[in-house]
Amino acid sequence: MKHRNLRRTGGYSFFILSLLSFSFLSCEYHNFSTPQPADKESLYEFPRELRGSWVVINDTIEETISLSDSKKMLPGDLFTGIEAGPSPDPWNFIARTNKPQTEDSQYYFVEKEHAYLITTSEEKVLMGDWPRLSQNGGMLNPPIFYGSVRSIRYDSLQKRTDTVYNYMLHDNFIYEVGDKGLLEKGYPYLTAGDTILFTKRDTLCIDMGQNAFLRKLNKQFYVLNIRSRILGEEISSFNNWWRIFVLEKREDGSIQLWIPASKAAKLPCMFYSVDAESYYFDCSWTTDEMLRLLNEGYFVVTDKLSKVN
């Protein structure tokens, strides 16, 4: 997992993909050799009660939706590059109005055979080169939650050895420099003193099929199985493993997303781990076993989603 920006790392690197909360709120990766549960058939359509527009409920900040003003909030290029499947109108559930809200947000749009995760984050990038040496020889880093246009590399004697670009500015757009020096999508930006401000918006699309499908535990719980390649994993040998997410329908009409907890690493079917971060499982759980694991704390709730009417 990349750790360029602390704000991005905590809540957005993972999610529910089809209710899809890649809040995969943790930096732990739980990889499964086969879909779960083993005793149920695969469903390639989202049931009607899971379809629609959803917003994450925050414990301290209530978010509201304005349907009429939604198209003013996001630029029309949000879905640029998504060509497969129908052309939904996700704008009808995105705008937030009237109440305090967090800088970062997640919205979900679920259709019969497709699901979209839309994430928005407010980014702050400092001009110049960081970290810097203070007058007393200490190291001055950017403030927490801030990036920098360039990073300085020092040797053990605190002598500058190299400078690398984290962002490129061109024609009123800012581009993050990704792996191997490749530029990511550009965004328009503003400046305030020595700080660059821009809103980053990303969309992740899931098409139901051989690489993503549901399996039903009971009337309350579904398991969403997604092959890692769908989540944009960069290592080819890694992307044939499965990730699992449990979707719980609540009596109040909301949905809770469950992912494997750290405790799951103690299960006997976990056979390999890397750096206490990536875990590999060779499990063939039955429906009853999965329900027991949910009850015994081997899965943890990461998000609660409220439907936008």
Side-chain angles (χ1 to χ4, degrees):
M1 176 176 293
K2 300 178 183 178
H3 293 271
R4 292 196 191 103
N5 182 308
L6 291 177
R7 172 156 35 84
R8 290 174 56 195
T9 327
Y12 290 101
S13 293
F14 262 130
F15 112 78
I16 144 180
L17 255 28
S18 110
L19 273 244
L20 297 145
S21 177
F22 245 146
S23 278
F24 292 170
L25 278 193
S26 122
C27 285
E28 291 182 353
Y29 298 78
H30 298 84
N31 308 290
F32 291 80
S33 58
T34 57
Q36 306 297 322
D39 61 344
K40 287 294 181 70
E41 64 179 6
S42 300
L43 307 175
Y44 299 102
E45 297 179 358
F46 287 103
R48 192 170 300 278
E49 60 268 27
L50 297 184
R51 301 175 199 170
S53 307
W54 303 82
V55 63
V56 174
I57 298 174
N58 188 291
D59 290 338
T60 57
I61 304 293
E62 182 178 357
E63 295 182 335
T64 59
I65 307 300
S66 171
L67 302 182
S68 61
D69 295 333
S70 62
K71 290 191 179 182
K72 302 177 183 178
M73 300 296 292
L74 294 176
D77 65 349
L78 180 63
F79 279 84
T80 298
I82 295 181
E83 298 177 354
S87 298
D89 186 11
W91 320 110
N92 289 335
F93 68 97
I94 298 230
R96 298 163 293 164
T97 60
N98 299 330
K99 297 193 178 184
Q101 48 202 281
T102 58
E103 290 182 337
D104 297 337
S105 59
Q106 299 181 58
Y107 300 92
Y108 310 97
F109 184 80
V110 182
E111 295 185 317
K112 184 176 181 180
E113 298 176 348
H114 310 273
Y116 303 88
L117 166 67
I118 303 169
T119 62
T120 302
S121 61
E122 301 300 328
E123 303 291 333
K124 302 179 181 70
V125 178
L126 293 179
M127 298 281 197
D129 303 346
W130 294 80
R132 299 171 179 176
L133 296 178
S134 65
Q135 293 182 350
N136 61 7
M139 197 72 72
L140 297 176
N141 291 297
I144 190 169
F145 303 145
Y146 282 68
S148 63
V149 171
R150 291 179 297 273
S151 292
I152 305 172
R153 294 174 179 172
Y154 297 89
D155 62 17
S156 58
L157 299 177
Q158 293 189 336
K159 292 184 178 180
R160 181 188 293 222
T161 61
D162 193 11
T163 303
V164 297
Y165 276 87
N166 301 315
Y167 295 89
M168 293 293 296
L169 305 179
H170 174 70
D171 195 22
N172 297 319
F173 281 77
I174 184 170
Y175 301 82
E176 187 169 1
V177 180
D179 294 340
K180 300 180 181 179
L182 302 178
L183 297 185
E184 299 183 3
K185 181 181 178 181
Y187 296 92
Y189 67 90
L190 300 173
T191 59
D194 63 350
T195 303
I196 300 169
L197 307 172
F198 69 98
T199 300
K200 183 173 183 179
R201 300 183 178 94
D202 290 313
T203 302
L204 180 60
C205 175
I206 296 297
D207 295 321
M208 298 292 274
Q210 293 302 312
N211 294 312
F213 47 78
L214 293 168
R215 290 186 178 178
K216 188 174 182 179
L217 294 179
N218 56 25
K219 292 182 179 180
Q220 184 179 0
F221 291 97
Y222 288 86
V223 182
L224 176 63
N225 292 270
I226 304 178
R227 205 181 291 271
S228 293
R229 68 167 66 102
I230 303 301
L231 306 182
E233 303 295 356
E234 298 174 356
I235 304 174
S236 59
S237 60
F238 185 64
N239 62 23
N240 284 318
W241 293 84
W242 294 87
R243 301 280 174 79
I244 62 174
F245 311 92
V246 179
L247 310 179
E248 178 191 6
K249 299 186 298 178
R250 306 282 289 177
E251 291 184 359
D252 61 2
S254 64
I255 291 175
Q256 285 193 150
L257 168 71
W258 300 68
I259 62 174
S262 297
K263 181 179 176 181
K266 299 178 181 179
L267 291 169
C269 61
M270 197 285 289
F271 68 96
Y272 181 70
S273 64
V274 180
D275 298 330
E277 180 175 298
S278 293
Y279 298 94
Y280 293 82
F281 298 79
D282 188 16
C283 310
S284 293
W285 292 327
T286 64
T287 298
D288 289 342
E289 286 174 328
M290 284 207 72
L291 291 171
R292 176 179 59 81
L293 293 172
L294 281 164
N295 188 55
E296 295 180 356
Y298 289 95
F299 286 78
V300 61
V301 174
T302 63
D303 279 326
K304 185 176 181 179
L305 306 181
S306 178
K307 195 166 189 178
V308 180
N309 295 320

